[in-house]
Amino acid sequence: MKIYLMGFLALIVFGSCETKKLPYYGEPDVIKKVVDGKETEQSVYPTIPDFSFINEDKEVVTDKDFKGKVYVADFFFVTCPTICPVMKKNMLTVYKEYKDNRNVKILSHTIDPEHDTPEILKKYATDLGVTGKMWQFVTGDKEKIYDIGQKHYMVSALEDSSQAGGYIHSGAFVLVDKDRHIRGMYDGTTKDGTEKLIKDLAVLLKE
C-alpha cells in the first residue's frame, strides 16, 4: 500500500512537471551537428523572414517590433463580403483575452493595399474598438504581402476575379512563437478554432 501511494505521489509530482509543447509547422531542414564527438541530426524548422509594412498609424512595422513576442497573424481586406467580418469578430475575442499581455501581439495584413490605405485601416480598427499597439493592421507592397502570406505563413492570399470581392484568402489564424516559427494554424471563421487558439497561446507563453 505504501509503495502504491509513493508511486501515485511521484506521478503527481513528476507528471505535473511535464509541459505540453505545440508542434512546429513547415518542412524542416535536417542538418548534421557534432555533439560530444558524435554526429547527430537536427531538424531546423522554417521561420517567418524579415518584413516591413505600414500600419494604420502610418508607422513602419518590422519584424523587430515582434522580437521576443508571441503573435497571431492573419490576412483580410476591408471590403471583404464573405469571411472577414466573422474572422475579425473572432480575432476581437483573442484581442480582449490578451490585450493586457505585453508578450502577445496580433498582426493583420490587408491583401488589398490599393484600397486599404492607413486611413482606411485606422477607421476599420477604430470601428472594431481596437486601441494601442497590441493589434496592428498593416498594408504595403502587394507582391510582398502575397509572398510572405503564401510562402511563409502558408496561407492563401492573392487576387482572383472569380471570387466574391475579387480576392481569395485563407480564414486561418497563424500562431507564431518568439523565434518566428509557426506553432499553430486555426480556423478563424469558427468559435472552436478561436477557442483552441486562445488555449494554445497560453501554452506557448509557458514554453
Side-chain angles (χ1 to χ4, degrees):
M1 181 66 178
K2 288 183 178 180
I3 294 175
Y4 173 79
L5 183 59
M6 288 175 66
F8 179 70
L9 290 173
L11 182 63
I12 294 176
V13 173
F14 294 106
S16 62
C17 291
E18 292 182 6
T19 302
K20 176 187 174 184
K21 292 197 70 172
L22 301 180
Y24 288 80
Y25 284 67
E27 192 67 31
D29 288 327
V30 177
I31 62 172
K32 293 182 178 180
K33 295 182 68 175
V34 177
V35 180
D36 296 330
K38 295 182 179 179
E39 187 176 79
T40 61
E41 291 187 344
Q42 181 179 354
S43 294
V44 178
Y45 285 87
T47 58
I48 302 301
D50 295 352
F51 58 82
S52 179
F53 298 112
I54 303 296
N55 71 7
E56 72 276 17
D57 294 315
K58 300 182 181 180
E59 299 170 338
V60 176
V61 176
T62 74
D63 51 282
K64 293 180 177 61
D65 295 303
F66 292 78
K67 186 177 180 180
K69 309 291 184 182
V70 168
Y71 73 96
V72 183
D74 74 337
F75 292 77
F76 80 109
F77 60 108
V78 169
T79 58
C80 173
T82 53
I83 62 175
C84 295
V86 177
M87 289 175 66
K88 288 299 168 279
K89 179 182 177 182
N90 288 333
M91 189 69 90
L92 199 58
T93 301
V94 181
Y95 167 74
K96 290 176 179 177
E97 185 73 23
Y98 285 98
K99 67 178 181 178
D100 296 323
N101 191 317
R102 294 182 179 180
N103 294 313
V104 178
K105 285 182 173 288
I106 301 172
L107 185 61
S108 290
H109 310 71
T110 177
I111 59 171
D112 184 10
E114 292 178 2
H115 175 271
D116 295 347
T117 61
E119 291 85 359
I120 295 290
L121 293 176
K122 182 66 175 181
K123 184 179 185 305
Y124 188 80
T126 301
D127 289 346
L128 281 173
V130 176
T131 59
K133 300 297 183 184
M134 186 270 196
W135 184 359
Q136 300 193 61
F137 300 79
V138 294
T139 186
D141 181 82
K142 179 168 60 177
E143 295 308 320
K144 288 182 179 179
I145 294 170
Y146 295 172
D147 182 80
I148 199 170
Q150 298 189 134
K151 292 183 180 178
H152 302 286
Y153 284 108
M154 300 186 290
V155 300
S156 298
L158 68 159
E159 289 181 274
D160 187 337
S161 59
S162 68
Q163 298 295 314
Y167 295 86
I168 184 170
H169 68 99
S170 167
F173 291 162
V174 184
L175 180 58
V176 182
D177 69 16
K178 295 176 181 179
D179 297 314
R180 289 195 267 172
H181 296 108
I182 294 178
R183 304 297 296 278
M185 303 279 287
Y186 310 86
D187 186 348
T189 68
T190 68
K191 182 179 178 181
D192 288 346
T194 305
E195 290 177 347
K196 182 70 165 57
L197 167 59
I198 289 172
K199 290 178 181 177
D200 282 358
L201 257 167
V203 172
L204 193 56
L205 286 167
K206 292 178 181 178
E207 284 192 9

